[in-house]
Amino acid sequence: MSGETTYDVPEGTMTETQVLLSLLHKPQLDRHGFVLPEGGSSPGPSASKPDGSGSSHRRAQRHERKWRKMLGQSGSDFKKYLAKHPEKVKCRARKGIPDSLRGLAWQLMSGGRDLQIQNPGKYEQLLQSHFDPVTETSIMRDLDRTFPTLLLFMHRQGQGQTALYHVLRAYSTYNQSVGYVQGMGFICAVLLTYMTEEEAFWTLVAVMSGHRHAALEGMYLPGLPLLKCCLFQFQELLSEKLPKLASHMLGLDPAVEPVHYATHWFNTIFSYTLPFPHLLRVWDVFMLEGIKVLFRVGLAILQHAEPRLRRSSFEELTARARRQPLADDCLPGPMLLALCAVGARPAA
């Protein structure tokens, strides 16, 4: 497996030139800040359609009040609540974290908030330290490829791209055994949509170092040991849970294996693959439950699309499974957390 993975402008989204042209006019945005194609009255692949009914609004307000009570003032009560009511927290995370509280909740669930409190001034120190020019070039080259239609990151050297550069630079200095690897930018970008750059940095550190769950840095270490392990485990789980699909995929010439379609799933935590509303719901659970969620999501996607995939050739199957973002016919929907019904657990 090569350590260098290609990350193109996602299929079905606008190119950078189209984005810049759209800025000549007032851009039409979806609720997450993605620019919709010109003349597109319906939401694009990253958009969601909130239910504006009164009962839905009241339900959302009740849900948010429960989360505010659970988190406490600036997150002060969360650890105690989690220790006392772990199943209740899990249930609420699977229902989705209120958007207004998502950034704080992710920091608390991952342990990023603890690391930031324990390391005052460390982030600024990292930004001021010597930086490898080769790594800097690699980061700069990839900035424009990261969510190119998300308004926050569309302006070259704008606020979003500058924050993204800072976080990636700081992390590559902080963890020199990993440095910078393609794919990390998408993870940082998702964090930056809900946090300041220092908060995003420490949340990234927590996820990578395994502050609360299994460390993910092995996805990016030389030789990609954790990524290879995940792909092997995923094939085993696929054969166990969806044997007919697994048999079809392995019976093709050449055989379709997870390395052909699932690399981005694991090393970007689905941020390169899923439409944004789906992605946020997956991350709500991932931050609380850890890497096992990625296996469950992957199996849920393949299970949902199994009828089509079992009729597909090698070229059709890999193109469909790797499409960025995944097409609606490959997705169980934002309630993808029926993924919890796919009781797949990776081997310890």
Side-chain angles (χ1 to χ4, degrees), residues 289-340:
E289 301 186 39
I291 195 172
K292 65 184 179 183
V293 172
L294 306 186
F295 291 87
R296 293 180 180 183
V297 173
L299 287 173
I301 289 171
L302 294 183
Q303 182 182 56
H304 183 79
E306 181 175 11
R308 287 184 177 84
L309 295 180
R310 285 176 57 189
R311 297 193 300 267
S312 299
S313 65
F314 175 89
E315 292 78 10
E316 293 168 339
L317 198 152
T318 53
R320 181 178 294 274
R322 295 179 64 183
R323 183 176 175 183
Q324 319 301 330
L326 284 173
D328 287 344
D329 62 0
C330 285
L331 294 170
M335 290 306 292
L336 174 60
L337 302 185
L339 65 93
C340 299

Side-chain angles (χ1 to χ4, degrees), residues 14 52 76 105 140 172 258 290 303 332-333:
M14 293 183 288
S76 58
M140 295 294 291
S172 67
Q303 182 182 56

Side-chain angles (χ1 to χ4, degrees), residues 230-302:
C230 287
L231 295 176
F232 173 80
Q233 289 180 314
F234 189 77
Q235 181 61 59
E236 295 299 303
L237 287 169
L238 183 61
S239 296
E240 176 187 342
K241 301 295 180 181
L242 302 172
K244 292 182 179 179
L245 177 59
S247 177
H248 170 72
M249 295 169 82
L250 293 177
L252 293 172
D253 186 18
V256 177
E257 299 177 344
V259 68
H260 295 119
Y261 59 86
T263 297
H264 296 326
W265 293 3
F266 286 99
N267 70 359
T268 71
I269 317 179
F270 282 98
S271 58
Y272 183 67
T273 307
L274 290 178
F276 213 66
H278 298 69
L279 176 67
L280 297 178
R281 296 296 299 277
V282 169
W283 275 45
D284 288 348
V285 185
F286 165 77
M287 288 295 185
L288 181 67
E289 301 186 39
I291 195 172
K292 65 184 179 183
V293 172
L294 306 186
F295 291 87
R296 293 180 180 183
V297 173
L299 287 173
I301 289 171
L302 294 183

Side-chain angles (χ1 to χ4, degrees), residues 181 215-221 224-227 230 266-267 291 294:
V181 181
L216 291 193
E217 66 177 13
M219 294 280 186
Y220 309 98
L221 287 169
L224 312 177
L226 180 58
L227 178 58
C230 287
F266 286 99
N267 70 359
I291 195 172
L294 306 186

Side-chain angles (χ1 to χ4, degrees), residues 80-283:
K80 291 180 181 179
Y81 197 99
L82 178 60
K84 190 174 181 180
H85 305 288
E87 291 303 315
K88 184 176 290 188
V89 176
K90 182 185 293 186
C91 180
R92 288 179 180 173
R94 290 179 178 182
K95 289 180 179 179
I97 301 172
D99 208 54
S100 61
L101 300 173
R102 183 167 272 129
L104 175 60
W106 285 358
Q107 292 173 65
L108 295 169
M109 290 174 173
S110 66
R113 171 59 66 92
D114 289 343
L115 291 176
Q116 183 176 353
I117 292 172
Q118 294 163 12
N119 294 274
K122 180 67 173 179
Y123 179 68
E124 290 300 326
Q125 179 185 337
L126 289 167
L127 290 180
Q128 294 169 13
S129 61
H130 174 74
F131 192 47
D132 174 38
V134 176
T135 303
E136 180 175 24
T137 299
S138 297
I139 293 174
M140 295 294 291
R141 182 188 62 210
D142 292 337
L143 292 178
D144 287 335
R145 307 179 186 181
T146 307
F147 292 123
T149 59
L150 181 57
L151 189 62
L152 179 62
F153 301 109
M154 277 176 15
H155 298 277
R156 185 162 293 172
Q157 299 182 357
Q159 179 181 353
Q161 285 200 8
T162 299
L164 181 58
Y165 167 76
H166 285 166
V167 175
L168 293 171
R169 169 176 176 158
Y171 185 79
S172 67
T173 303
Y174 177 85
N175 188 347
Q176 296 185 22
S177 61
V178 172
Y180 169 71
V181 181
Q182 274 190 323
M184 292 167 53
F186 286 91
I187 297 174
C188 291
V190 176
L191 295 174
L192 285 168
T193 60
Y194 285 94
M195 307 174 196
T196 67
E197 60 181 75
E198 184 173 5
E199 290 168 344
F201 168 76
W202 287 114
T203 302
L204 176 66
V205 170
V207 169
M208 290 292 199
S209 64
H211 192 71
R212 290 279 169 81
H213 306 294
L216 291 193
E217 66 177 13
M219 294 280 186
Y220 309 98
L221 287 169
L224 312 177
L226 180 58
L227 178 58
K228 290 178 178 178
C229 179
C230 287
L231 295 176
F232 173 80
Q233 289 180 314
F234 189 77
Q235 181 61 59
E236 295 299 303
L237 287 169
L238 183 61
S239 296
E240 176 187 342
K241 301 295 180 181
L242 302 172
K244 292 182 179 179
L245 177 59
S247 177
H248 170 72
M249 295 169 82
L250 293 177
L252 293 172
D253 186 18
V256 177
E257 299 177 344
V259 68
H260 295 119
Y261 59 86
T263 297
H264 296 326
W265 293 3
F266 286 99
N267 70 359
T268 71
I269 317 179
F270 282 98
S271 58
Y272 183 67
T273 307
L274 290 178
F276 213 66
H278 298 69
L279 176 67
L280 297 178
R281 296 296 299 277
V282 169
W283 275 45

